[in-house]
Amino acid sequence: MSAPVGLSRATRRRRALAALLAAITSVTTPVAAHAQDGARTERPIVRGAAVAPDAVVRLYVPAGTVRVTTWERDSVAVRGTTAPAVTVFGAGTRHAIKLGVEPATPGDTRLARADWVVTVPRRARLWVKMIDGAIETA
């Protein structure tokens, strides 16, 4: 695939990263999972993205738990579970990224729930928005 004429190298990189993040987040579908007894079960999530060591990382998890750890790498890693009727979203650039969960059904008033362990670069600036839950740091 050839690069569009007139776009700077930085713009092409940002678009490529946005396309990669879109592909990563599209793997999780909003289909509810059920155990054999009919009970709803949580779905596993594993995501990652390359970011700058001092990137801005924004997390939106309305309900559940978020445990934040740091490392010396230049990437963000998310692992854990989400509620069955939740969609995971995420996008950004190398310098700013936003990840979160939202109800899979438009108009659903229940809080989207996730239990995540998020690892960010040690120098990253982290912003977490949560309504009902717990945030832990390690």
Side-chain angles (χ1 to χ4, degrees):
M1 176 179 1
S2 63
V5 177
L7 294 180
S8 69
R9 185 176 185 159
T11 300
R12 289 192 309 268
R13 284 184 184 166
R14 280 193 297 274
R15 286 186 177 180
L17 179 59
L20 175 64
L21 286 171
I24 290 171
T25 57
S26 69
V27 173
T28 301
T29 59
V31 177
H34 296 277
Q36 289 189 10
D37 63 356
R40 295 164 77 84
T41 60
E42 303 221 333
R43 295 178 303 155
I45 176 175
V46 177
R47 298 281 189 278
V51 297
D54 61 347
V56 175
V57 179
R58 296 173 74 96
L59 300 175
Y60 179 66
V61 180
T65 59
V66 174
R67 184 168 190 261
V68 179
T69 61
T70 61
W71 59 10
E72 295 298 328
R73 298 180 183 175
D74 58 349
S75 59
V76 173
V78 178
R79 68 183 192 284
T81 59
T82 62
V86 166
T87 299
V88 178
F89 66 85
T93 66
R94 201 161 156 71
H95 298 284
I97 186 170
K98 182 176 182 179
L99 300 164
V101 292
E102 61 189 3
T105 307
D108 188 349
T109 59
R110 293 175 293 175
L111 295 176
R113 179 177 181 77
D115 295 310
W116 285 358
V117 175
V118 180
T119 306
V120 298
R122 188 170 308 281
R123 295 185 317 159
R125 291 171 284 162
L126 181 66
W127 177 92
V128 179
K129 185 172 183 179
M130 181 176 280
I131 297 168
D132 181 21
I135 300 171
E136 303 172 21
T137 58

